[in-house]
Amino acid sequence: MAGRYSFLVSFLLFLILATPQLSSQEEKVGLVLSGGGAKGLAHIGVLKALEEHDIPVDYITGTSIGALIGGLYGSGFSVDSIINIVTSSDFKNWASGEIDDEYDFYYKKRRPNASWISFRFTIDSIWRPKFPTHLISPYQMDFAGMKYFSKIDVACNNNFDSLYIPFRSVAADIEKKEPVVLRQGNLYDAIRASLTYPFVFEPIKIDGRLLFDGGIYNNFPIDVMMEDFQPDYVIGSAVGMVIRQLQKDDVRSHLENLLVFPTDYEVPDTLGLTIRPDVPEIGLTDFGQAQKLIDLGYEAAIDQIEQIKKDINRRTTKDKRQEKRDIFLNKAPELLFDDVVVNGVNPGQENYIRNLLLIHEEYVDIKDIKPLYFNLLAEEHIEDIRPNAIYNKETGYYTLELDITIDKSLLLQFGGNLSSSPVNQAYIDAQYLYLGNRASTLGLNAYFGRFYSSLRLCGRMDFPAPFPFFFKTSLTFSYYDYFKSTTTFLEDRTPSYLLQNFSFYEFIGGVPAGTNSKVTTSLVTGRNRDNYFQTNVFSRVDTTDETAFNYISPQILYERNTLNRKQFPTSGTYLSVIARYVKGEEKHEPGSTSKLEDATEESHDWFQLNLKYENYFTNFNSVNFGLYTELVLSNKDFFSNYTSTTLSAPAFRHVPSTRVHFIPNYRAHNYAAAGLKSIFSLTDIIDLRLGGYVFQPYREILRDRDDFTAYYGDPFQNRYFLGNAAIAINTAIGPLSFSVSYFDRHDEEFAFSVDFGYLIFHQLPFR
């Protein structure tokens, strides 16, 4: 009896002592991560602090950026790996929509033009333009989402309860005006939907519902945490925005007050606590301060870590976390592709796309797929691509599934240049794009202005192949009136009344020569006609000289371009090397100011090599440095007189002001030019640009005073300098610039101009 009594006492004592320990082992902790744009990177610092002190996280719910960070952590990514992701240049590109130079396929790009804005119209309803629904391209982000989360979908069998840490993402259905809790399916889609801030990112459909940023209706999903997981303790990390007061001229405040419901970011004391990192107010996608935001989240969590440790008895060591992480990630098969499926296209379009995405090996990994994907994105004919990786259990490989929207459309572009000088011009461009077994484009564009007018009809056809190529053809008519390019030109001693007409036909074939380069060969035939007085002393009854040149010119071009802007660039490089042969017939009809009396005809032929190189160096304390060099070599001879010779000679046109003035000092048959630039970035869009250039002709083209013919000066006898200073404000549709240029030993040494838009013209065949 005594023994039995002693046993019962001992057993009861064991239960009493063991109960708290069992309770602490079963204690479950939920983590709620708010939305808040880039500020949400502070959540990573909170996770880092919790891990350092072995605080367990058993469930995660997140909205917007909280869904992204929570989804990554719940998928088995360590804190260090998440930090590496969000501090990388790739992550900034995902958030900005910018394409890396490595994947920016230059051979498919159209030549820079003077356009400011673009509109797409559907063919069957031309009066209903398709306006963009988002500011930031999702393609970088979508590919990264496939890369990081497709394996996780296989490991958890598309069930978010089976992730490394069970997880919920919250999105918004603005049609039904309600939050949507995503518990299963494609994990990246669930995160992507929660991230979709209206008008910034493109919305996506899940189960037929168009979903947006979860922060619209539930920016701190503690209710989802309690309903789905019932944890014993809740830790909240809150960086949500405070809706700003409605301001008349603040569009963002209008949007926030229209769309976003007020949110309570407090975890009740009976459930847990809220960590509030002291993050600054920054832009929604301003991820340039990633490490600072992470540190602020870490500091805020450390400030409350002792209270958390008092409230939570259970601990999870680093080794235990890693063991659990390894077990989960070992279920995720490597991302290897053996097939491509294209949805949303007709058979001809599918054939074109599959030929661009040929998989030549038994299987390829994600690194091999990436350049093929971005090559496809470079197609103007494609409106939208959604990539997805579908796992085949039988083969052990993935199929790349692409949901593609083809844009059989008209593309209209408008632009030009508004100037304080007489070089105003308007630009309009209409393109018809069609994709079948080949990609075809037909276009008509035109410039209209007092100084410059031009009309071009063009067509292009791209052929998909293991080594793709294209053919392009164009017919161009261009007109320059240098007499109208400046109000004070009559003061010059050089001829002022200069009219140039160019009409030419081009047939071009091209291939890529790397991601950022292309090689083209072309055959050009055309007619140039120049009308001019040979002096500035003329009257209404005087007649102009006319020089016509009919020619044919085969040429080959190598071009590489990574410049970040089509005018006023601050980064990247440009290199072009072009070799051409020109053969033609010059016909000269003398006017009343000519020294010649009879018409002449003369044959000309020459070889010409042009090289241009531009490079912008890494910035240093908001200062960029640029280098520009240009070289022209030819055996071109003289035309019938000095004016026709200089008009047909290659010209240095790198500075915008040199494109609109006829300055013989910067024209020669053989020359080298070089310049240095200093670019001071005053803000993200405002630059102060200073440039100095030297122009060195091998032998300067000079004018004989007696008969107005041309002759060469001595080798390297003269050189000319050119200076340029400008303040450029790079707006969303075009640059606003205030510039002054200095022309060495010219009658009009300084040129001042205020311009909005682009001084970009159609390229001429051999100038």
Side-chain angles (χ1 to χ4, degrees), residues 152 499 566 622:
I152 305 303
L499 305 180
K566 55 186 176 182
S622 299

Side-chain angles (χ1 to χ4, degrees), residues 54 73 157 182 234 251 267 303 373 388 442 535 571 701 724 728:
D54 294 334
Y73 193 69
N157 198 26
L182 299 165
V234 176
V251 175
V267 176
D303 287 343
Y373 171 79
N388 195 14
L442 290 175
T535 73
S571 66
I701 301 172
N724 178 259

Side-chain angles (χ1 to χ4, degrees), residues 402-444:
L402 298 175
D403 293 328
I404 292 181
T405 303
I406 300 296
D407 198 355
K408 297 179 184 177
S409 64
L410 283 173
L411 170 65
L412 296 184
Q413 295 185 314
F414 301 93
N417 187 66
L418 303 176
S419 179
S420 61
S421 60
V423 293
N424 296 282
Q425 65 181 26
Y427 175 77
I428 184 171
D429 186 358
Q431 301 279 330
Y432 172 69
L433 302 97
Y434 177 77
L435 185 65
N437 287 305
R438 293 171 293 276
S440 304
T441 303
L442 290 175
L444 178 68

Side-chain angles (χ1 to χ4, degrees), residues 669-685:
H669 291 154
N670 294 273
Y671 69 81
L676 294 174
K677 309 175 193 181
S678 298
I679 304 167
F680 303 87
S681 298
L682 306 180
T683 71
D684 289 341
I685 64 169

Side-chain angles (χ1 to χ4, degrees), residues 65 102 185 311 342 393 395 463 474 488 536 542 565 739 746:
I65 187 70
E102 183 182 359
D311 295 341
V342 183
K393 292 182 180 179
T395 65
F463 296 81
S474 66
T488 60
N536 271 333
D542 283 315
R565 295 177 186 146
S739 64
H746 184 56

Side-chain angles (χ1 to χ4, degrees), residues 740-751:
V740 57
S741 297
Y742 167 74
F743 305 122
D744 187 19
R745 284 170 280 175
H746 184 56
D747 294 291
E748 193 178 342
E749 288 187 331
F750 290 95

Side-chain angles (χ1 to χ4, degrees), residues 313-475:
N313 295 314
R314 180 171 146 243
R315 299 289 181 267
T316 303
T317 64
K318 180 179 180 180
D319 290 342
K320 286 290 185 182
R321 288 194 302 270
Q322 192 58 48
E323 180 183 357
K324 180 183 176 184
R325 185 176 283 126
D326 290 342
I327 291 172
F328 175 75
L329 292 177
N330 284 336
K331 301 176 185 177
E334 286 301 310
L335 207 56
L336 301 174
F337 297 86
D338 68 348
D339 197 10
V340 177
V341 171
V342 183
N343 301 322
V345 297
N346 65 38
Q349 294 162 350
E350 181 179 4
N351 183 56
Y352 180 88
I353 292 166
R354 289 184 67 88
N355 283 335
L356 282 179
L357 296 170
L358 281 176
I359 297 178
H360 302 287
E361 308 296 334
E362 179 184 351
Y363 61 85
V364 295
D365 64 18
I366 192 70
K367 292 180 180 178
D368 298 315
I369 288 291
K370 189 171 184 179
L372 302 176
Y373 171 79
F374 282 98
N375 186 28
L376 186 58
L377 278 177
E379 289 289 344
E380 277 192 302
H381 305 72
I382 292 176
E383 180 182 349
D384 189 41
I385 301 178
R386 286 298 315 281
N388 195 14
I390 307 298
Y391 183 65
N392 186 331
K393 292 182 180 179
E394 294 181 0
T395 65
Y397 297 124
Y398 293 80
T399 296
L400 177 63
E401 183 181 63
L402 298 175
D403 293 328
I404 292 181
T405 303
I406 300 296
D407 198 355
K408 297 179 184 177
S409 64
L410 283 173
L411 170 65
L412 296 184
Q413 295 185 314
F414 301 93
N417 187 66
L418 303 176
S419 179
S420 61
S421 60
V423 293
N424 296 282
Q425 65 181 26
Y427 175 77
I428 184 171
D429 186 358
Q431 301 279 330
Y432 172 69
L433 302 97
Y434 177 77
L435 185 65
N437 287 305
R438 293 171 293 276
S440 304
T441 303
L442 290 175
L444 178 68
N445 56 65
Y447 291 86
F448 307 95
R450 293 176 59 196
F451 163 66
Y452 175 72
S453 295
S454 185
L455 179 69
R456 172 170 287 177
L457 178 66
C458 57
R460 172 170 167 152
M461 189 170 289
D462 283 80
F463 296 81
F467 196 69
F469 61 96
F470 69 87
F471 291 121
K472 181 180 178 182
T473 184
S474 66
L475 178 63

